Amino acid sequence: MDRNWVSVFTTTKNQAAVLMMNLLEQNEIAAVTMNRIDSAYPLLGEIMILVHPDDVIRAKHLINKNLTP
């Protein structure tokens, strides 16, 4: 994986990560997830969504727009 990917969203819930990945994909933003939740201790860790640096501003705007009521 390219080392230039930037984290735009972090969560401890798999459902939230899937929803955000779908949102980004629907808007043609390439994204990957990095799951750092410990399998032995599922309450520890987080799931990060990463995008290419060129897409960071657009991705954060979409995420913030969809997180606020």
Side-chain angles (χ1 to χ4, degrees), residues 2-6 51-57:
D2 187 5
R3 293 182 185 261
N4 293 327
W5 292 80
V6 178
V51 299
H52 192 272
D54 294 342
D55 296 323
V56 170
I57 293 171

Side-chain angles (χ1 to χ4, degrees), residues 6-10 16-17 19-21 23-24 27 29 31 48-51 55-69:
V6 178
S7 176
V8 292
F9 184 73
T10 304
L19 288 172
M20 289 304 149
M21 284 292 292
L23 173 69
L24 295 174
N27 287 278
I29 297 175
M48 297 187 319
I49 295 181
L50 308 158
V51 299
D55 296 323
V56 170
I57 293 171
R58 198 165 136 232
K60 284 187 177 185
H61 175 73
L62 283 167
I63 291 169
N64 288 335
K65 180 178 166 185
N66 285 279
L67 283 179
T68 55

